[in-house]
Amino acid sequence: MRVFVTGATGFVGREVVRHLQQHGHDVFALCRNPEELPLTNVQKVPGDILQPHTFEAQLREAQACVHCVGILRAFPEQGITFEKLHYQATLNLVRACGKVGVQRYIHISANGVEKNPTTEYMRSKAKSEQAVRSSSLDWTILRPSVVYGGNPNRENFVKMLRDNLAKAPVFPYFGKGEYCLAPISTWELAETVRRCLEQPETAGKIIHLGGDEVYTYKALLHLLCEAGNYKTKLFSLPTVFMSTAASLLGGFKWFPLTNDMLRMLMAGNDIPPNALTQASLEVPSISFRAWL
């Protein structure tokens, strides 16, 4: 199948491109900087998701589209906002698919968007999903929990934690640290994308992606320390202190959390009961503990 993939140089997008290419699909990879995608046998499409005219010709050649563009934090002074790179990007792509006749569409969203969104990140994800569901495309929406694996040099939540634990003599968790996470590997995510593309009956479905192993945030930190042989001392920090610090310093790249990220973390990110998951597609599970 000829598949157009956006966000191809990102943490998730790069693994989706690699996985689809390895399984015999012809991939058109949308990249702002093609040199950042060191893969062969992939057609790199220089373009900007916010300017559809830069990629519509290549999109027209595809039979399906996988949308992987996403950011964890915004920097408005640099023009990097959730409204632009989540909602407007999705709206542009959905309209472009309709314009050029690409009917099959896979959308990477986020676990937790089904709750009442209280952060800019989740509100923009919810608006993006609404744009997809309101379209006439044959869409499938994937909602991953915390994603790990892939290129060890690409920014992601688990890498951020490991980097901080490796160099910090002390590291806080917030409150009791009992909020739960269900880490999912980039391989499981990419394999779910592949199976959705190859199974037309997944159109119109929302699938949650979470690993079989669920950890509290505190337990996850202990596991990372154990796996990396870090001697970091973990301690509980009252949430109000971290919330204040995140509000004041979250706009700086060097500070690990924004206030929105803190709120989403404390809301937990395990999979809702009775949700449709990747297990329904018989995607083999990966052990997070074994991966570490």
Side-chain angles (χ1 to χ4, degrees):
M1 184 182 293
R2 299 187 303 277
V3 185
F4 189 90
V5 180
T6 69
T9 60
F11 174 60
V12 168
R14 181 181 299 210
E15 297 308 309
V16 169
V17 169
R18 189 194 310 275
H19 197 77
L20 293 179
Q21 187 270 332
Q22 288 176 345
H23 284 80
H25 294 283
D26 295 325
V27 179
F28 299 82
L30 181 64
C31 320
R32 285 181 299 170
N33 300 303
E35 64 275 9
E36 293 183 8
L37 187 66
L39 298 177
T40 57
N41 300 320
V42 170
Q43 182 169 331
K44 300 172 188 178
V45 181
D48 185 342
I49 192 66
L50 297 176
Q51 300 182 51
H53 70 273
T54 64
F55 61 81
E56 282 182 353
Q58 290 81 8
L59 178 62
R60 190 183 301 273
E61 298 180 40
Q63 297 167 295
C65 179
V66 182
H67 186 36
C68 301
V69 171
I71 56 174
L72 285 176
R73 59 197 302 178
F75 298 97
E77 69 282 357
Q78 301 174 32
I80 301 173
T81 68
F82 295 125
E83 180 73 14
K84 281 184 180 180
L85 291 173
H86 288 170
Y87 175 63
Q88 192 59 53
T90 298
L91 195 59
N92 286 350
L93 189 60
V94 166
R95 288 173 174 173
C97 284
K99 178 180 177 180
V100 304
V102 174
Q103 191 64 22
R104 190 69 175 105
Y105 177 94
I106 311 295
H107 185 79
I108 309 298
S109 183
N111 185 54
V113 75
E114 72 282 355
K115 303 174 185 176
N116 181 31
T118 60
T119 64
E120 287 300 317
Y121 176 91
M122 282 299 182
R123 280 194 288 268
S124 64
K125 286 288 189 179
K127 284 179 65 177
S128 301
E129 283 198 11
Q130 185 57 44
V132 172
R133 293 196 302 269
S134 299
S135 75
S136 60
L137 303 180
D138 294 331
W139 54 263
T140 302
I141 293 174
L142 305 182
R143 293 175 175 169
S145 181
V146 174
V147 182
Y148 69 91
N151 187 322
N153 296 318
R154 303 298 295 184
E155 287 301 320
N156 64 85
F157 182 70
V158 172
K159 179 182 183 302
M160 179 192 74
L161 290 179
R162 294 178 81 173
D163 288 349
N164 280 282
L165 290 168
K167 62 187 179 184
V170 294
F171 192 82
Y173 54 89
F174 321 115
K176 295 182 179 180
E178 294 179 347
Y179 22 96
C180 292
L181 307 168
I184 185 81
S185 69
T186 52
W187 186 91
E188 290 165 282
L189 191 158
E191 177 65 6
T192 303
V193 168
R194 182 181 75 84
R195 296 192 183 208
C196 286
L197 288 171
E198 295 174 359
Q199 298 181 30
E201 62 271 21
T202 60
K205 294 183 178 179
I206 298 175
I207 302 173
H208 291 255
L209 277 61
D212 292 340
E213 300 167 2
V214 177
Y215 300 92
T216 66
Y217 182 62
K218 181 180 179 181
L220 182 68
L221 292 177
H222 279 289
L223 184 61
L224 291 172
C225 286
E226 177 187 338
N229 197 29
Y230 306 138
K231 305 304 181 183
T232 311
K233 173 73 173 178
L234 302 177
F235 67 98
S236 175
L237 182 71
T239 305
V240 65
F241 292 163
M242 190 61 192
S243 179
T244 300
S247 296
L248 294 172
L249 303 174
F252 297 99
K253 285 186 177 181
W254 54 265
F255 195 75
L257 289 174
T258 65
N259 204 30
D260 271 10
M261 291 168 71
L262 177 63
R263 289 164 65 189
M264 289 189 294
L265 177 62
M266 296 194 66
N269 207 332
D270 51 341
I271 303 303
N274 304 316
L276 188 66
T277 71
Q278 75 277 5
S280 66
L281 302 177
E282 299 184 349
V283 174
S285 61
I286 301 292
S287 165
F288 179 66
R289 180 183 292 272
W291 174 81
L292 284 175

